[in-house]
Amino acid sequence: GLALLNTNDAKGALDPLRRALTVEPQLFDAHLALGKARAATGDAAGAKESLRAAQQLRPNDPRPAAELAKLGG
């Protein structure tokens, strides 16, 4: 999922990232990446949900807040 997102294949990254979170729901990087992928594919509500989950896992990491700001909160 991360590799696909890094090659600008946000749509292709969605399913692998969701599967990773099914196996390990506490994966910060997967939540963050899924939020970015959802945003890139036009799913703002889903992106916010994923980014907020990442934010809860690592409240001191600025990346989820920065991505949420791009989406207007």
Side-chain angles (χ1 to χ4, degrees), residues 9-61:
D9 184 2
K11 187 175 180 180
L14 292 172
D15 285 338
L17 290 168
R18 288 183 181 126
R19 283 193 303 272
L21 288 167
T22 300
V23 174
E24 182 52 62
Q26 302 300 313
L27 286 175
F28 169 82
D29 289 326
H31 281 290
L32 181 61
L34 183 57
K36 291 179 180 182
R38 286 172 144 180
T41 58
D43 180 7
K48 289 177 182 180
E49 178 184 325
S50 295
L51 293 167
R52 288 186 184 121
Q55 202 168 38
Q56 287 181 339
L57 291 170
R58 286 194 199 163
N60 294 326
D61 192 309

Side-chain angles (χ1 to χ4, degrees), residues 44 48 51-52 65-73:
K48 289 177 182 180
L51 293 167
R52 288 186 184 121
E67 294 298 324
L68 282 165
K70 292 177 189 177
L71 297 169

